[in-house]
């Protein structure tokens, strides 16, 4: 029998990659998913197993981090060797609109899991991974950020995660739990939610290249992030729980890039050259030139003429609507502890991440454009 893992947030970006990884390692994986009026399992449909499947190794349970009775029952029934608490209201900007809910799910939710493990007498059996975040560093007190850099949260999300971080440390010290924090810097992928900056950009650049969209509006272009690939980061989560002793680890690439440069790189990936001008809310980028061979290769010959006609047009603008009341200007992590103690090494650098995301989104948007062409008939059907 393989080990048993419970993943909260299994329908999210990291949950999907981690579930796939643990199944590959031979685990039995239980996943907590929220009830939704629409299907929310797109990212894990390829590994879904019907309840009728014999020797099922991937089992979903309805649940919510705000419901302690439900969490306690599921942990009691599944008796996990490892819990990966990935569920969270994870959007920093949205947390300013939903601060109380964010505190409940992202802060108290962590306590509910730790306390359930304690009350169920699973302290010796169950190891816990808490999805902590580089957002804890906020107004950074040190560059680069390490495990000992002081925290300075700058959003309701980060403040809730701060509680989650410290309650994990407290249960480790108070009850001897194998409970660890992964302080993960931004990690992205083709599965990234559509409203996070990297995915918003790779989707928009793909749509602009295919003539489906003229322009994209962004927020603060000068913020800098340390980006890695989610596939690399879920391997680190697993490695953290395989250590003899629980501890907290920074997981990061060690390279920081501005949003502006990420946008430039995403366009360049398909042969489009953009130039930025102006400042603050008046900043914009124009399509300044094309590498026609690269564009043909990556996007397709049939889209070249319309792209050529759009030279000189504005393709990126700024809308202050996307600014945050308090911003995290600079993140750059030092993952030396993870590299030496866990032997963790990322396989993707930023250019490889962008290639992966752009390839996926171009494919997706071509499909959207195809479906859109057939959409008229479908609409008529309902008239
Ligand atoms: P994500 O794609 O937004 O996924 C979040 C998951 O949590 C989804 O499955 C979501 O369910 C679920 N969820 C939200 N509220 C819940 C609740 N009240 N009860 C139960 N489930 C709930 O996030 P991610 O990028 O995979 O990140 C995973 C975790 O790592 C999060 O805790 C995030 O805060 C943290 N983190 C992420 C990064 C990053 O760069 N990605 C960096 C550091 C830390 P639905 O599918 O139903 O919405
Ligand atoms: O992609 P973002 O929304 O990610 P953010 O705020 O860094 O948070 C993500 O990473 C954290 C780890 O550090 C996680 F804990 C958290 O759960 C989440 O996964 O924004 C990145 C930066 C920000 O500075 C933002 O102001 O991009 C800037 N930005 C500029 N224009 C934008 C936009 N962000 C978004 N979402 N949309 C924009 O149009």
């Amino acid at each position: 029998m393989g080990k048993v893992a419970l993943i909260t947030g299994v329908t999210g970006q990291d949950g999907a990659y981690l579930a796939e990884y643990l199944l590959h390692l031979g685990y039995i994986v239980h996943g907590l998913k929220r009830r939704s009026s629409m299907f929310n399992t797109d990212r894990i449909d390829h590994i879904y197993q019907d309840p009728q499947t014999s020797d099922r190794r991937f089992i979903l349970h309805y649940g919510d981090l705000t419901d302690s009775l439900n969490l306690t029952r599921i942990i009691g029934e599944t008796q996990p060797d490892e819990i990966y608490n990935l569920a969270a209201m994870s959007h920093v900007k949205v947390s300013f609109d939903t601060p109380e809910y964010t505190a409940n799910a992202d802060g108290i939710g962590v306590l509910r899991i730790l306390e359930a493990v304690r009350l169920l007498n699973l302290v010796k059996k169950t190891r816990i991974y808490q999805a902590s975040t580089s957002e804890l560093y906020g107004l950074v007190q040190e560059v680069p950020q390490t495990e000992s850099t002081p925290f300075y949260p700058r959003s309701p999300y980060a403040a809730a995660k701060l509680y989650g971080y410290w309650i994990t440390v407290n249960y480790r010290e108070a009850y001897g739990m194998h409970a660890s924090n992964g302080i993960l810097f931004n990690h992205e992928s083709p599965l990234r939610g559509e409203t996070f900056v990297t995915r918003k950009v790779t989707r928009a650049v793909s749509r602009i290249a295919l003539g489906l969209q003229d322009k994209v509006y962004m927020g603060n272009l000068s913020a800098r992030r340390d980006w890695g690939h989610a596939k690399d980061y879920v391997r680190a989560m697993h490695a953290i729980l395989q250590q003899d002793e629980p501890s907290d680890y920074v997981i990061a690439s060690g390279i920081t890039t501005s949003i502006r440069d990420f946008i430039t790189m995403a366009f360049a990936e398909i042969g489009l050259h953009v130039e930025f001008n102006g400042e603050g809310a008046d900043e914009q980028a124009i399509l300044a030139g094309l590498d026609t061979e690269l564009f043909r290769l990556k996007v397709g010959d049939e889209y070249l003429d319309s792209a050529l006609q759009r030279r000189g047009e504005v393709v990126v603008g700024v809308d202050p609507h996307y600014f945050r009341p308090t911003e995290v200007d600079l993140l750059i992590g030092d993952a030396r502890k993870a590299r030496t103690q866990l032997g963790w090494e990322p396989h993707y650098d930023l250019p490889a991440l962008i290639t992966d995301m752009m390839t996926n989104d171009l494919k997706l948007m071509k499909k959207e454009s195809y479906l859109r062409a057939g959409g008229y008939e479908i609409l008529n059907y309902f008239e």
Side-chain angles (χ1 to χ4, degrees):
M1 279 279 275
K3 280 193 201 169
V4 176
L6 170 65
I7 303 175
T8 71
V10 74
T11 56
Q13 169 189 256
D14 292 2
Y17 281 123
L18 181 65
E20 203 170 20
Y21 182 58
L22 295 182
L23 287 169
H24 161 79
L25 294 179
Y27 277 66
I28 294 167
V29 177
H30 294 272
L32 187 82
K33 77 161 187 159
R34 294 195 290 184
R35 195 268 161 181
S36 159
S37 68
M38 291 177 74
F39 288 120
N40 60 353
T41 54
D42 273 15
R43 294 180 174 113
I44 49 171
D45 282 344
H46 62 294
I47 49 175
Y48 178 75
Q49 294 178 323
D50 285 323
Q52 295 75 28
T53 310
S54 57
D55 300 327
R56 207 154 54 121
R57 289 205 297 122
F58 184 50
I59 301 131
L60 295 178
H61 306 260
Y62 283 112
D64 199 296
L65 275 201
T66 60
D67 181 343
S68 49
L69 291 177
N70 154 275
L71 291 172
T72 308
R73 178 179 56 74
I74 292 170
I75 294 171
E77 283 174 8
T78 57
Q79 299 277 306
D81 298 299
E82 297 171 7
I83 296 178
Y84 295 87
N85 182 34
L86 309 187
M89 201 309 287
S90 72
H91 203 285
V92 173
K93 173 79 161 51
V94 174
S95 77
F96 288 97
D97 299 328
T98 60
E100 184 182 346
Y101 173 74
T102 304
N104 192 359
D106 299 13
I108 308 293
V110 187
L111 173 69
R112 292 187 180 102
I113 289 183
L114 293 161
E115 189 62 1
V117 168
R118 191 172 78 87
L119 294 178
L120 290 163
N121 290 322
L122 289 172
V123 169
K124 294 248 163 350
K125 174 180 170 69
T126 305
R127 297 181 172 197
I128 299 173
Y129 172 87
Q130 168 55 18
S132 287
T133 166
S134 50
E135 282 292 305
L136 294 171
Y137 299 118
L139 189 63
V140 297
Q141 304 292 297
E142 190 178 34
V143 179
Q145 294 86 52
T146 71
E147 290 80 4
S148 55
T149 302
F151 297 139
Y152 193 136
R154 292 271 281 174
S155 63
Y157 167 78
K161 285 281 187 180
L162 184 74
Y163 178 80
Y165 174 93
W166 280 116
I167 200 68
T168 300
V169 173
N170 180 248
Y171 269 58
R172 175 166 85 214
E173 292 175 354
Y175 306 116
M177 279 191 182
H178 195 297
S180 301
N181 286 287
I183 308 170
L184 271 53
F185 282 63
N186 298 51
H187 46 280
E188 321 291 314
S189 75
L191 298 187
R192 185 59 143 153
E194 289 87 346
T195 59
F196 295 95
V197 75
T198 56
R199 188 78 198 287
K200 177 170 168 178
V201 168
T202 57
R203 277 170 56 90
V205 172
S206 303
R207 290 171 60 85
I208 290 167
L210 299 176
L212 294 169
Q213 178 174 334
D214 295 332
K215 177 176 176 180
V216 60
Y217 286 96
M218 305 297 302
N220 176 7
L221 297 172
S222 299
R224 303 182 75 85
R225 287 293 180 274
D226 176 327
W227 281 298
H229 198 301
K231 274 188 186 171
D232 285 332
Y233 287 43
V234 300
R235 285 192 291 105
M237 296 176 188
H238 176 255
I240 288 171
L241 290 201
Q242 308 319 304
Q243 302 306 298
D244 290 340
E245 297 300 326
S247 190
D248 308 315
Y249 296 87
V250 161
I251 307 295
S253 78
I255 294 172
T256 190
T257 307
S258 70
I259 311 303
R260 189 180 295 106
D261 287 347
F262 183 93
I263 295 171
T264 305
M265 290 169 79
F267 275 107
E269 166 67 23
I270 54 170
L272 300 177
H273 174 56
V274 291
E275 274 173 13
F276 282 88
N277 60 63
E279 271 181 30
D282 296 324
E283 187 165 355
Q284 57 180 28
I286 57 159
L287 185 57
L290 265 91
D291 175 338
T292 50
E293 275 322 297
L294 188 58
F295 188 88
R296 270 201 185 98
L297 184 75
K298 296 269 182 172
V299 186
D301 209 22
E302 62 273 39
Y303 303 101
L304 184 61
D305 278 348
S306 86
L308 282 167
Q309 280 165 22
R310 304 208 34 220
R311 272 178 302 186
E313 285 182 17
V314 175
V315 285
V316 181
V318 170
D319 183 341
H321 166 78
Y322 298 111
F323 292 166
R324 295 165 184 195
T326 39
E327 175 64 286
V328 173
D329 293 318
L330 165 74
L331 290 174
I332 176 166
D334 176 346
R336 260 178 299 179
K337 179 177 172 186
R339 286 175 189 262
T340 52
Q341 288 189 21
L342 306 177
W344 176 77
E345 286 298 333
H347 298 151
Y348 287 82
D349 60 9
L350 184 58
L353 169 69
I354 292 176
T355 302
D356 194 22
M357 293 180 74
M358 282 300 301
T359 306
N360 176 77
D361 276 332
L362 271 173
K363 221 184 275 174
L364 220 60
M365 296 310 153
K366 281 184 181 171
K367 193 166 153 198
E368 183 191 309
S369 131
Y370 173 79
L371 288 176
R372 195 187 273 192
Y376 180 68
E377 277 175 37
I378 294 165
L379 280 179
N380 268 350
Y381 176 80
F382 292 104
E383 276 172 1

